[in-house]
Amino acid sequence: GDGEDQDCDGTADEMTPVMVPALIAGNVGVVVQQPEIAWTGSEFGAVWHSRVGASSESSIGFARAGADGILAEPAQKISPDSVGTEECRISWTGTEFAVTYRGVVATETAILLTRISADGDVVASNVIISDPAVAAQRHFTIWTGSELGVFWDDLAGTSFARVSPDGSIALPRTQISTRRFPMPVWTGSEFHVFCDTFVNRVEPDGTPVGTEISLAGMENVMDATWTGSEMGVVWWQPSPSDSQFFSRISLLGERIGSDMVLRDMVTMDPGCQPILEPMGDIGEMASCLWPVAGSVGFWHLVPGMIEPATEGSFASPSLGGGNMTPMAWTGSSMGIAWESAAGIYFGTIADCG
């Protein structure tokens, strides 16, 4: 562990969080789902999609919050109500927020971009990123330090586009794999894109590096991150174990050590989604899951160990009814957002230093 008192009780190396959740989005009759958060260095930006009652139309919401969960200003709607608006992502570019989401353009689902200033003002909205003539499915975005890398499943494989800070797209868009279900990682010099049971190394401009690498058995990748020296990957194997695993992957795309079992799905909500977030300065990672009991399980993962360093959970009357728990590390605490029947909540896991 890091030798620090994580839960402020005087004992070092525990990860049981201190959490005072704050409701950042939610009104009676409004369904809010799939939150994502990003840390700017001084506050969090959060996005989600919402719909009113049984309506088939939804929109994307945005809010800024301090580390204490207090909103800097009221939440705002940053996209029009439309059928098919969902799955939003948010990145901090150093000067503004880049928010992407799936929305319908003409008759197909496309990836759209809205840029928001550090003060929460919309700079540009509904910029089309993917090819509007081809249906776009699940997508992910990564800020490299100079550009936004956007990856999406177009049913025929995985496509990629580069977006500059001013929102312009470097054409042509590139298909980087004929395999679907991408999960990208930025290592500081290139992308590693997990698709099915393979990983593809990709230059910043979309040029493949070598050939795809097989990662036997590593199916259904749920999240992946870069620690500064290696990648951490969480994946689900439905058969024969029906379990979630954590694996370490080198820069060359090779497994490091043995796979670690995080949790068997028998005792978990089948829809729970693990989220990895790098933390600390020795390659530590945190993984957050949503168990059946209505509390969030929290794992502290340290490379080289065969089991999580610690395991804990936090619960609140507001928890329950959702399975998305995105996290963002501030350098001293972990911000977490989650969905519940009441709305989108936000809180932090304190680090007493």
Side-chain angles (χ1 to χ4, degrees):
D2 58 9
E4 297 180 358
D5 178 9
Q6 301 286 358
D7 67 352
C8 309
D9 68 351
T11 302
D13 286 332
E14 292 184 312
M15 291 300 292
T16 304
V18 173
M19 175 75 73
V20 180
L23 181 68
I24 62 173
N27 294 298
V28 176
V30 179
V31 179
V32 288
Q33 296 175 309
Q34 297 181 335
E36 293 284 342
I37 60 176
W39 174 248
T40 68
S42 60
E43 64 181 9
F44 292 94
V47 292
W48 58 88
H49 76 82
S50 62
R51 59 180 172 80
V52 178
S55 172
S56 59
E57 296 187 339
S58 56
S59 62
I60 304 301
F62 170 81
R64 295 158 48 223
D68 55 6
I70 297 176
L71 293 182
E73 59 192 5
Q76 60 177 305
K77 185 167 68 174
I78 61 170
S79 78
D81 291 311
S82 177
V83 174
T85 298
E86 59 184 351
E87 195 194 55
C88 46
R89 312 291 184 194
I90 184 169
S91 298
W92 173 248
T93 70
T95 57
E96 62 185 30
F97 297 99
V99 178
T100 58
Y101 60 93
R102 290 208 318 258
V104 176
V105 176
T107 59
E108 295 290 0
T109 302
I111 308 303
L112 305 175
L113 168 70
T114 291
R115 295 164 49 216
I116 302 175
S117 73
D119 294 327
D121 299 321
V122 174
V123 177
S125 62
N126 303 323
V127 177
I128 301 173
I129 302 300
S130 63
D131 183 349
V134 180
Q137 301 297 306
R138 187 177 74 166
H139 84 288
F140 292 93
T141 60
I142 298 180
W143 177 251
T144 68
S146 60
E147 292 182 317
L148 188 70
V150 185
F151 299 82
W152 67 93
D153 179 344
D154 60 11
L155 300 181
T158 294
S159 291
F160 167 72
R162 297 156 52 210
V163 182
S164 68
D166 64 5
S168 59
I169 304 169
L171 297 174
R173 303 173 181 91
T174 306
Q175 186 182 67
I176 62 170
S177 175
T178 57
R179 302 183 188 278
R180 300 176 57 195
F181 314 116
M183 178 60 68
V185 176
W186 173 248
T187 68
S189 59
E190 64 185 26
F191 297 102
H192 280 59
V193 187
F194 296 87
C195 300
D196 294 333
T197 57
F198 292 82
V199 62
N200 298 267
R201 296 173 59 196
V202 180
E203 295 282 4
D205 64 0
T207 302
V209 178
T211 58
E212 63 180 11
I213 302 166
S214 174
L215 294 169
M218 191 180 292
E219 50 193 312
N220 302 303
V221 171
M222 306 176 83
D223 200 19
T225 194
W226 174 249
T227 69
S229 59
E230 62 188 50
M231 286 168 282
V233 183
V234 175
W235 51 283
W236 167 49
Q237 184 182 68
S239 178
S241 63
D242 197 20
S243 298
Q244 291 179 348
F245 294 84
F246 170 75
S247 299
R248 299 162 57 207
I249 305 297
S250 73
L251 188 61
L252 298 178
E254 301 169 340
R255 266 188 172 93
I256 302 173
S258 301
D259 300 328
M260 177 196 302
V261 178
L262 278 181
R263 183 70 88 199
D264 68 90
M265 298 300 285
V266 175
T267 58
M268 297 291 290
D269 179 345
C272 71
Q273 174 71 47
I275 305 292
L276 284 175
E277 178 72 8
M279 56 181 289
D281 55 6
I282 59 171
E284 298 158 296
M285 283 164 280
S287 178
C288 208
L289 300 163
W290 200 286
V292 172
S295 62
V296 173
F298 188 89
W299 284 263
H300 181 198
L301 307 174
V302 177
M305 299 190 71
I306 60 173
E307 295 180 352
T310 51
E311 176 182 339
S313 64
F314 56 87
S316 150
S318 62
L319 292 175
N323 56 36
M324 299 297 292
T325 54
M327 301 187 292
W329 179 246
T330 69
S332 60
S333 62
M334 187 73 75
I336 298 182
W338 65 92
E339 63 182 69
S340 77
I344 302 297
Y345 281 82
F346 174 82
T348 58
I349 295 175
D351 183 344
C352 297

